[in-house]
Amino acid sequence: EPEVTQTPSHQVTQMGQEVILRCVPISNHLYFYWYRQILGQKVEFLVSFYNNEISEKSEIFDDQFSVERPDGSNFTLKIRSTKLEDSAMYFCASSEDLAGGYNEQFFGPGTRLTVL
Amino acid sequence: GEDVEQSLFLSVREGDSSVINCTYTDSSSTYLYWYKQEPGAGLQLLTYIFSNMDMKQDQRLTVLLNKKDKHLSLRIADTQTGDSAIYFCAESMELSGGSYIPTFGRGTSLIVHP
């Protein structure tokens, strides 16, 4: 069964460093998403991406964040200068389309980012 | 903004029914969802209900929606140890771009013991 994969599973970085989190969405999916979950808190939407551009983003997704689909398979989230409060589990998701308004998103297992 | 609340833990005995409850604030919610997350895995959509429905049943799962009270529940009949996981409640409504982005709760850890 096709699945969303994410690498690495755990990333440790120093405050101020740039990190790139990688995702491989399901191959025929067109919509891609990033979410994060700070330990003990809710899963929060960051950004959605379609047709090589951002379609929706939350207040969390500020200038420190960027997303890219550098090739036909990868979808990346870059954090330019990490802060301690960026420590969280980051989930990538993809969906086939928006048809019918029912939008099943398929989630990857997450990357745990620890900022020291 | 939208908010979704659910209790953090539920412990049940194998074979009993589990009921996980959730409340939400946005009366414009169009779809409400239950996601399941097993250890080391991503969130997986279990079931969803459209806001004009009161109930949806799918094998051992029963979803009840009380729109007046903005209350959603998930009942798992004959709970098995394999049902141990974190269950996320979520709601969504259509955004300007036509997408439905779920707003999640914190998740309820269901622990099933023999």
Side-chain angles (χ1 to χ4, degrees):
Chain A
E1 187 175 324
E3 58 183 16
V4 176
T5 59
Q6 290 185 243
T7 53
S9 56
H10 191 187
Q11 171 97 44
V12 181
T13 190
Q14 296 289 327
M15 193 168 56
Q17 294 296 304
E18 173 185 286
V19 294
I20 297 176
L21 309 183
R22 301 179 194 280
C23 168
V24 179
I26 294 173
S27 62
N28 65 331
H29 284 188
L30 301 176
Y31 295 82
F32 314 114
Y33 314 84
W34 283 102
Y35 294 81
R36 77 171 185 193
Q37 185 181 26
I38 296 171
L39 190 63
Q41 297 188 26
K42 299 178 182 181
V43 176
E44 302 172 291
F45 167 71
L46 293 178
V47 66
S48 61
F49 191 85
Y50 168 71
N51 200 25
N52 279 323
E53 59 184 29
I54 290 172
S55 49
E56 308 275 0
K57 63 180 181 177
S58 71
E59 291 173 355
I60 303 167
F61 194 86
D62 61 20
D63 292 343
Q64 288 287 81
F65 293 91
S66 61
V67 288
E68 195 179 28
R69 188 150 163 83
D71 52 43
S73 60
N74 288 282
F75 178 52
T76 62
L77 174 70
K78 184 194 289 187
I79 309 174
R80 285 193 185 79
S81 178
T82 49
K83 307 186 199 62
L84 295 176
E85 54 265 36
D86 293 327
S87 294
M89 181 73 91
Y90 288 80
F91 293 104
C92 172
S94 68
S95 63
E96 194 171 355
D97 55 36
L98 291 174
Y102 154 56
N103 179 7
E104 178 168 6
Q105 298 181 36
F106 293 81
F107 284 76
T111 292
R112 180 163 296 287
L113 176 66
T114 303
V115 182
L116 302 176
Chain B
E2 307 90 356
D3 195 20
V4 176
E5 294 292 341
Q6 51 186 129
S7 54
L8 294 182
F9 297 100
L10 177 66
S11 178
V12 299
R13 188 168 298 172
E14 191 174 15
D16 287 352
S17 291
S18 309
V19 179
I20 304 172
N21 294 300
C22 167
T23 56
Y24 60 97
T25 57
D26 198 330
S27 56
S28 305
S29 296
T30 306
Y31 291 93
L32 295 114
Y33 311 86
W34 284 103
Y35 281 79
K36 177 182 181 183
Q37 184 186 27
E38 296 182 4
L43 282 71
Q44 178 189 15
L45 181 66
L46 259 187
T47 186
Y48 72 98
I49 188 167
F50 191 57
S51 58
N52 67 354
M53 298 169 65
D54 299 323
M55 186 179 90
K56 182 177 181 181
Q57 190 148 3
D58 183 3
Q59 300 182 339
R60 292 190 297 121
L61 305 179
T62 303
V63 178
L64 294 178
L65 174 60
N66 181 328
K67 208 172 172 187
K68 174 175 161 291
D69 293 339
K70 300 192 189 79
H71 182 268
L72 182 75
S73 67
L74 173 70
R75 179 176 179 269
I76 305 172
D78 187 24
T79 315
Q80 302 298 307
T81 53
D83 294 323
S84 293
I86 302 175
Y87 291 81
F88 291 89
C89 173
E91 58 88 19
S92 72
M93 59 180 188
E94 188 174 10
L95 300 180
S96 57
S99 58
Y100 289 79
I101 302 296
T103 298
F104 290 92
R106 290 179 199 225
T108 298
S109 288
L110 175 65
I111 301 160
V112 183
H113 54 89

